[in-house]
Amino acid sequence: MSTLATTGTGSAASPKTEQRRSGKNSLSVGRVIAWIFMALVMIVTILPFYWVLRTALSSNAGITSDPTSILPVDFNLRGFARVFGMQSTEEALADGGSGASMNFWIYLRNSVIVSTLVTAGQVFFSAMAAYSFARLRWRGRDAVFTLFLAALMVPSIFTLLPNFVLVKQIGLIDNLLGVALPTMFMTPFAVFFLRQFFMNIPRELEEAALLDGASKVRVFFQLILPMASAPISTLAIITYITAWNDYFWPLLVSYTDSSRVLTVAVAVFRSQAPTSGTDWSGLMAATLVAALPMLLLFMAAAKRIVNSIGFTGIK
Amino acid sequence: MSTATAAAPSALRRKPKDDRLLGIAFIIPAGIGLVAFYIWPLIRGIWLSFTEYNLLTPEQFTGLANYQRMVGDSIFWNAVKVTLEYVLINIGFQTVLALIIAVLMQRLTQSTLVRSIVLTPYLVSNVVVAMLWLWILDNTLGISNEIISAITGENVNFFSSALAIPTIAMINVWRHVGYTALLIFAGLQSIPNTVYEAGKMDGASEWTMFWKITVPLLRPILALVLIMTMIGSFQVFDTVSVTTQGGPVNASRVLQYYIYDMAFGRFQFGYASAMAVGLLIVLAAITILQYRMTRAGETDLD
């Protein structure tokens, strides 16, 4: 019914003016153009990841001789071997490597420790604060909450320099705890995110538990936390990914392998690559290895992450 | 229920002082984080901007010297110019593209798979994204240049002084556009269908409805998204650090990279802090603007 009108007026001007929730499958010109555009967007999104994989599985000689081949040239895993330090220096140099390798397992361990510390601390402490702001009554609460609100607007660049000075003064430079510390207690966002959910839990439930003689601490642990497990795990996933991908702060505070996380390690690996005849195969293997943990996490929790994003922006 | 209330009335009816200790106890950890890593650094950062400080010796108060230096520093002004150029390109492309993608997702498919695919680049770090594009855009072996030279016979140096900033801006558009689109998509979901039905009754075309209904009702969310991406893009660092390191010469030396360089390359924490204060003022102004714009738009929703 509406297909004709749409094709007639709207679609020539723009595909995005398509009929809103129109009949099951009205194949108008506009709809086809729109789908083509969407497909293009998805291809541009996905293809670069494939190209990284294809390069990582090729040899450097193969990349040079056949740069446009869709499939890996001279299929091998030596790029990965180089990243993991499983190749002898001579072999690595012969393959176009710099002789430097990544101590991948150490960086992976560091990334896991830092992200876990940040996530566990931030989510738990933020939940406590959110409960206090949402459900407990105490004088000065609104004023303190306003302070948290204001902190939301402090841009990170501004706190990074003084935070560095602070962490240096308490002797936590080049220490995993120092990498985790600034975001381990809370972020204003995490507090807001959880407060919003806690406020929506029906008060009657809490009051019933209190009538049964439970303390407020017990209500928090045994009622509020379990009831909010969905938003809490969503926040935990988002926090984990953010902590894992962070680069600037770890770059400032970590100097050696003992505290270097994966993002920084990849950047260092890149800066060690020779400027002439870059070891692209090795670099792309490193890139893939660094991206893989978060891509796997995303695959496992895509729906949860995707659906949480509206909340992030609008609330 | 009433018997239970009668059994223990005093302990339950909340008096104001009831929660006080617990309320404060529960915000102590977060409070430590707030004071130590937000409020104290804010004060300290402003203080440091009035000093000369190299981490090793105690800071020396120098008054407005850092700010005077800033005004006369041509590299600083170049950094401002380059950053603005980056912000404009980044935001322009990102917002328009995200709006188109969001509207298409709304109209064509509600599939989570499609939304997940579009979001994928946002899930990997800036460093990974920068490395990936560094390779794809490489001057000699990158696939994009292979294609370009096959067509035009010439190579494009994407990280040359003329193209470095647009290239870095587009790399970050690629990473963030899906996220921005999902924010706008969430906003679209909140526009009631009845508004469109009413529009249709009045004989409005889809094109008219997009401009007369979707865009005005989306204005508060668009304003929010615009300001959020603006604040984010003023702080571009990771991509520059991995790809060009500010070069060639100063062509991509954005503000945040210059601040970093000044503090950790030359240990001039005072001067770096002064520039950070400058950036803070700009970002604060944008934030205030955000509230104005979102408030101004709110009336449209009802």
Side-chain angles (χ1 to χ4, degrees):
Chain A
M1 47 148 203
S2 52
T3 323
L4 271 176
T6 318
T7 350
T9 55
S11 62
S14 162
K16 64 177 175 273
T17 53
E18 249 305 319
Q19 186 66 48
R20 181 174 231 257
R21 309 220 176 149
S22 59
K24 293 288 173 304
N25 253 324
S26 48
L27 261 180
S28 66
V29 178
R31 226 176 154 72
V32 171
I33 296 173
W35 268 114
I36 292 173
F37 182 82
M38 265 321 265
L40 219 66
V41 167
M42 285 189 272
I43 289 170
V44 172
T45 306
I46 292 300
L47 223 51
F49 288 109
Y50 171 73
W51 203 247
V52 171
L53 177 69
R54 170 261 181 206
T55 308
L57 293 172
S58 306
S59 70
N60 277 313
I63 294 167
T64 319
S65 65
D66 196 356
T68 51
S69 161
I70 301 291
L71 293 173
V73 194
D74 180 17
F75 181 93
N76 70 85
L77 295 171
R78 295 201 299 276
F80 291 96
R82 207 143 59 244
V83 170
F84 292 135
M86 282 153 43
Q87 244 182 355
S88 72
T89 314
E90 298 81 57
E91 278 176 315
L93 289 172
D95 273 341
S98 63
S101 68
M102 285 171 54
N103 291 320
F104 173 76
W105 299 110
I106 294 178
Y107 307 136
L108 182 74
R109 186 205 65 188
N110 289 347
S111 278
V112 169
I113 292 174
V114 167
S115 306
T116 308
L117 277 178
V118 168
T119 306
Q122 188 188 122
V123 172
F124 182 67
F125 294 145
S126 296
M128 281 170 64
Y131 179 63
S132 184
F133 287 131
R135 280 305 167 79
L136 300 178
R137 282 157 190 272
W138 42 284
R139 228 186 318 152
R141 186 184 72 173
D142 294 343
V144 175
F145 188 66
T146 311
L147 263 182
F148 274 78
L149 192 94
L152 202 60
M153 288 162 218
V154 181
S156 59
I157 172 63
F158 198 75
T159 49
L160 285 176
L161 296 186
N163 277 348
F164 174 80
V165 177
L166 178 74
V167 167
K168 188 175 167 62
Q169 280 168 347
I170 54 179
L172 286 177
I173 290 292
D174 207 19
N175 182 310
L176 288 175
L177 193 60
V179 181
L181 211 57
T183 43
M184 225 176 85
F185 293 100
M186 64 118 206
T187 57
F189 167 71
V191 176
F192 288 119
F193 184 87
L194 291 178
R195 177 177 173 266
Q196 201 64 32
F197 285 102
F198 291 172
M199 292 211 301
N200 288 335
I201 293 175
R203 218 167 248 287
E204 293 75 37
L205 280 171
E206 195 179 350
E207 263 154 24
L210 291 171
L211 283 177
D212 287 345
S215 67
K216 293 234 166 160
V217 177
R218 203 158 153 204
V219 166
F220 173 68
F221 279 102
Q222 298 199 330
L223 187 78
I224 302 285
L225 285 187
M227 281 198 73
S229 63
I232 285 175
S233 49
T234 302
L235 178 68
I237 294 166
I238 297 172
T239 309
Y240 203 87
I241 292 171
T242 311
W244 187 281
N245 286 340
D246 196 14
Y247 173 65
F248 200 0
W249 175 253
L251 175 73
L252 299 188
V253 292
S254 55
Y255 292 121
T256 65
D257 280 358
S258 66
S259 75
R260 193 167 280 163
V261 296
L262 257 178
T263 47
V264 179
V266 170
V268 170
F269 189 70
R270 135 103 181 117
S271 65
Q272 285 169 341
T275 40
S276 60
T278 312
D279 173 18
W280 285 115
S281 165
L283 278 179
M284 288 305 110
T287 304
L288 205 61
V289 157
L292 209 56
M294 285 310 101
L295 288 177
L296 291 177
L297 182 63
F298 183 44
M299 274 177 203
K303 200 161 194 167
R304 177 154 275 174
I305 296 169
V306 164
N307 289 332
S308 74
I309 285 186
F311 188 92
T312 321
I314 309 310
K315 288 292 169 186
Chain B
M1 219 175 85
S2 55
T3 47
T5 324
S10 58
L12 300 170
R13 282 295 140 233
R14 72 178 90 75
K15 296 170 207 155
K17 68 165 192 176
D18 228 356
D19 298 334
R20 191 161 185 197
L21 273 178
L22 190 65
I24 291 169
F26 262 42
I27 66 145
I28 281 177
I32 291 173
L34 179 75
V35 173
F37 297 106
Y38 286 88
I39 296 175
W40 174 238
L42 193 72
I43 297 165
R44 199 174 201 182
I46 294 169
W47 159 249
L48 282 179
S49 76
F50 295 109
T51 67
E52 204 182 299
Y53 182 48
N54 62 5
L55 276 183
L56 301 171
T57 51
E59 61 262 34
Q60 299 249 305
F61 183 78
T62 55
L64 289 171
N66 286 325
Y67 291 94
Q68 278 161 357
R69 177 176 166 194
M70 205 161 97
V71 173
D73 183 354
S74 64
I75 301 177
F76 168 76
W77 289 111
N78 181 64
V80 171
K81 195 196 93 188
V82 166
T83 308
L84 282 175
E85 191 189 337
Y86 168 83
V87 170
L88 286 178
I89 299 173
N90 185 56
I91 294 201
F93 280 93
Q94 187 164 308
T95 314
V96 172
L97 214 55
L99 183 62
I100 295 173
I101 295 172
V103 173
L104 288 185
M105 283 195 296
Q106 164 92 348
R107 299 291 163 105
L108 292 178
T109 170
Q110 304 280 322
S111 142
T112 317
L113 180 69
V114 171
R115 280 186 275 160
S116 305
I117 289 175
V118 175
L119 189 68
T120 312
Y122 188 72
L123 273 299
V124 295
S125 66
N126 280 320
V127 175
V128 163
V129 168
M131 292 270 284
L132 177 162
W133 283 104
L134 197 63
W135 162 231
I136 289 177
L137 299 175
D138 182 64
N139 205 6
T140 48
L141 290 169
I143 182 68
S144 56
N145 257 319
E146 290 295 332
I147 295 169
I148 291 169
S149 67
I151 298 167
T152 66
E154 275 175 60
N155 269 16
V156 177
N157 186 357
F158 285 99
F159 295 102
S160 64
S161 50
L163 286 180
I165 282 293
T167 302
I168 291 166
M170 291 315 283
I171 291 174
N172 284 328
V173 168
W174 183 79
R175 180 173 187 253
H176 291 276
V177 76
Y179 179 77
T180 313
L182 284 184
L183 287 181
I184 298 174
F185 177 80
L188 285 172
Q189 301 287 73
S190 69
I191 299 176
N193 221 354
T194 48
V195 188
Y196 288 95
E197 274 154 19
K200 225 180 291 163
M201 296 271 233
D202 292 344
S205 71
E206 285 291 330
W207 183 244
T208 315
M209 288 205 282
F210 174 76
W211 287 109
K212 293 277 158 82
I213 298 175
T214 310
V215 171
L217 288 185
L218 211 53
R219 209 174 71 208
I221 285 118
L222 277 180
L224 186 79
V225 165
L226 211 65
I227 304 302
M228 269 177 52
T229 42
M230 202 180 288
I231 288 175
S233 46
F234 261 103
Q235 301 180 69
V236 56
F237 175 84
D238 300 0
T239 318
V240 173
S241 162
V242 173
T243 55
T244 62
Q245 272 124 23
V249 195
N250 287 322
S252 62
R253 192 172 299 274
V254 290
L255 212 42
Q256 181 137 335
Y257 197 82
Y258 190 46
I259 293 171
Y260 163 79
D261 207 24
M262 200 48 78
F264 295 93
R266 283 174 258 182
F267 296 104
Q268 300 184 8
F269 270 75
Y271 187 44
S273 298
M275 288 192 285
V277 170
L279 190 56
L280 177 74
I281 291 167
V282 172
L283 295 179
I286 294 172
T287 311
I288 291 166
L289 202 73
Q290 164 190 357
Y291 281 98
R292 287 274 162 78
M293 283 171 80
T294 40
R295 289 237 176 87
E298 254 159 22
T299 46
D300 285 5
L301 275 170
D302 303 296

